[in-house]
Amino acid sequence: MSFANTKTESRYNQLSFCIFIHIKTAMKKHLLKEIAFTIIMLAAATAISFGFFYFGNENAANITVIYTLALILTALYTSGYIFGIVSSLFCVIAVNYFFSYPYFRVNFYLDGYPVTFIGMLAISLITSTTTTALKRQRQAIAEREKALVEADKEKLRANLLRAVSHDLRTPLTSIIGSSSSYLENYPDLSEEDRTELVSNIREDSQWLLNMVENLLTVTRINDTAENQVKKSPEVVEEVVSEAILRLRKRLPDIPVRVNMPNDFLMLSMDPTLIEQVLINLLENAFVHSGSRKPIDLIIEEAPDLISFKVRDYGKGLSPQQVPCIFEGQQTMSGNTDGHKGIGIGLSICKTIIQAHNGTITASNHSHGAEFTFTLPKEKEDHNNV
């Protein structure tokens, strides 16, 4: 045991040393890059100032502006205050040495120069420190936004896990119960009873397959950098047609009326994901509306976006549902229609639309419920229209 512990500790020390060397090397490379950038900025400012000076523009104020610009760039693209302070000292001395009489000599006893020197140094230091502070503030804001995105993703995972824990139990229990009844009571069952049991198993299995597809969709989005999706220009009519064809394989009797402009619409999107959104919304309208009237899919074009409305003519949404309907909390226990929960599908819809930088809302109209999502047009979309 003692030998094993010693060997493990030795490996741990070796790993720690390797990590330390890697971090040290990375920091050294970063430091060298910042030193090189600072030198390049100051050398470029000096070269430009000489150009101004020797082509007749001997106003030291213009040269000071050039050095100040180099100072700001140095403070922006380097870390810490040391590079800005060193650059400030160099800029003040360079103006005195190269561009103040007597030239190529440092002379702090010129009339009024001490005040000018102190003023330039103060301005340079304030500029450097302010720029560095702004850069750090920008980094802090970026980190906070990243933390908020991670918190949203974690919230989505928690909501999905909670919804899955409720929704999976019901169809699995039904499948187990139906299959057990079929196997144990097979001789006593009529052909009609057997068909009903098998149909129930098929229906619940189909629903589970749909849920798995939705969960895989969320995993696909969460695995991409910053929850962004790969978009390409797609014909809106083709995406809508494919979504309805896929949906009718599961629900052959679903009535859908599509109303869209006659114009040729192109939009940047991930077609598979948008098809999933349309399928989820249309299926929810068919299953949970309590009506068998045709569902309207209305597509409208605006200058900067395209909107998709799924409108049913059923009982509508309750006031308690609307605020949290996209949060994955509308499970079996919260439904009054006896169907499986709608929370997971709508959570997926929200995740997909947000990944496309769009919006999604739910509301009631005079004869039922309406879900609307928008997708923004991009530059290539405007060019294609």
Side-chain angles (χ1 to χ4, degrees):
M1 287 294 294
S2 176
F3 175 75
N5 290 337
T6 303
K7 189 173 182 180
T8 302
E9 184 178 354
S10 175
R11 288 181 178 176
Y12 176 78
N13 291 335
Q14 290 177 358
L15 179 61
S16 300
F17 179 74
C18 290
I19 294 173
F20 173 76
I21 294 297
H22 178 73
I23 294 174
K24 187 175 179 181
T25 303
M27 290 178 63
K28 186 176 180 181
K29 288 182 179 178
H30 183 69
L31 180 63
L32 290 174
K33 286 182 180 178
E34 292 189 337
I35 292 173
F37 182 83
T38 302
I39 293 173
I40 291 171
M41 283 293 101
L42 296 178
T46 303
I48 294 171
S49 297
F50 268 113
F52 268 88
F53 191 78
Y54 283 104
F55 280 103
N57 193 340
E58 298 181 2
N59 190 343
N62 294 334
I63 294 172
T64 303
V65 170
I66 296 172
Y67 276 109
T68 303
L69 178 60
L71 179 66
I72 293 172
L73 292 174
T74 301
L76 275 174
Y77 294 100
T78 56
S79 57
Y81 295 98
I82 185 65
F83 291 99
I85 293 173
V86 171
S87 299
S88 300
L89 293 172
F90 175 85
C91 291
V92 172
I93 294 173
V95 171
N96 181 281
Y97 183 79
F98 294 118
F99 308 108
S100 298
Y101 181 85
Y103 304 115
F104 298 100
R105 282 173 55 190
V106 177
N107 186 356
F108 294 104
Y109 299 103
L110 293 174
D111 186 25
Y113 189 77
V115 176
T116 304
F117 176 84
I118 294 172
M120 283 185 60
L121 183 60
I123 292 171
S124 300
L125 291 175
I126 291 171
T127 301
S128 174
T129 53
T130 302
T131 305
T132 303
L134 289 173
K135 183 179 67 174
R136 289 186 173 181
Q137 184 180 10
R138 184 179 62 188
Q139 291 174 344
I141 292 172
E143 290 176 359
R144 185 162 61 248
E145 289 178 349
K146 184 178 180 181
L148 289 174
V149 170
E150 289 297 323
D152 287 341
K153 290 170 67 175
E154 201 60 40
K155 182 181 178 181
L156 175 64
R157 292 191 190 101
N159 288 337
L160 287 174
L161 181 61
R162 183 164 54 249
V164 167
S165 66
H166 285 85
D167 282 355
L168 282 180
R169 188 180 296 117
T170 301
L172 285 175
T173 302
S174 176
I175 290 172
I176 293 171
S178 297
S179 58
S180 297
S181 297
Y182 186 88
L183 293 173
E184 294 171 3
N185 303 311
Y186 183 84
D188 302 325
L189 294 174
S190 65
E191 189 65 30
E192 184 179 349
D193 291 334
R194 294 171 188 168
T195 302
E196 183 180 355
L197 287 173
V198 173
S199 298
N200 291 338
I201 293 172
R202 182 179 183 277
E203 180 183 346
D204 288 324
S205 300
Q206 194 72 44
W207 188 87
L208 284 174
L209 177 62
N210 186 34
M211 178 184 284
V212 170
E213 289 177 354
N214 278 316
L215 294 175
L216 289 175
T217 299
V218 169
T219 304
R220 176 182 170 187
I221 295 175
N222 287 338
D223 286 343
T224 59
E226 300 179 357
N227 268 28
Q228 294 301 306
V229 294
K230 294 181 179 179
K231 295 187 281 188
S232 60
E234 301 291 339
V235 180
V236 174
E237 185 178 2
E238 292 181 359
V239 174
V240 171
S241 298
E242 184 63 26
I244 294 175
L245 287 174
R246 286 175 57 192
L247 178 60
R248 281 182 172 155
K249 290 179 180 179
R250 291 207 302 265
L251 302 171
D253 299 328
I254 184 170
V256 180
R257 293 185 303 203
V258 180
N259 185 352
M260 64 183 299
N262 294 325
D263 297 336
F264 182 76
L265 297 182
M266 290 283 289
L267 191 63
S268 291
M269 66 175 86
D270 184 316
T272 304
L273 296 181
I274 298 303
E275 287 170 18
Q276 191 66 47
V277 172
L278 292 170
I279 289 171
N280 288 353
L281 295 179
L282 291 169
E283 182 176 7
N284 281 338
F286 180 71
V287 173
H288 298 284
S289 65
S291 171
R292 287 299 174 262
K293 292 182 179 179
I295 302 163
D296 284 330
L297 174 56
I298 304 168
I299 301 168
E300 297 175 339
E301 183 182 15
D304 298 323
L305 56 85
I306 293 178
S307 66
F308 300 76
K309 296 180 181 179
V310 175
R311 181 182 296 168
D312 65 56
Y313 297 89
K315 60 188 177 181
L317 303 170
S318 67
Q320 294 78 19
Q321 279 182 303
V322 175
C324 58
I325 198 165
F326 294 106
E327 302 303 322
Q329 298 172 356
Q330 303 295 322
T331 58
M332 181 72 179
S333 58
N335 289 336
T336 59
D337 58 10
H339 292 96
K340 303 177 184 66
I342 63 175
I344 292 177
L346 293 181
S347 293
I348 279 27
C349 293
K350 180 180 178 181
T351 302
I352 293 172
I353 298 304
Q354 286 183 340
H356 282 78
N357 299 317
T359 61
I360 185 168
T361 57
S363 62
N364 287 317
H365 62 95
S366 56
H367 300 290
E370 181 175 281
F371 289 84
T372 303
F373 69 89
T374 64
L375 296 176
K377 292 182 179 180
E378 299 180 358
K379 289 182 178 179
E380 59 267 25
D381 300 326
H382 288 285
N383 293 333
N384 289 327
V385 175

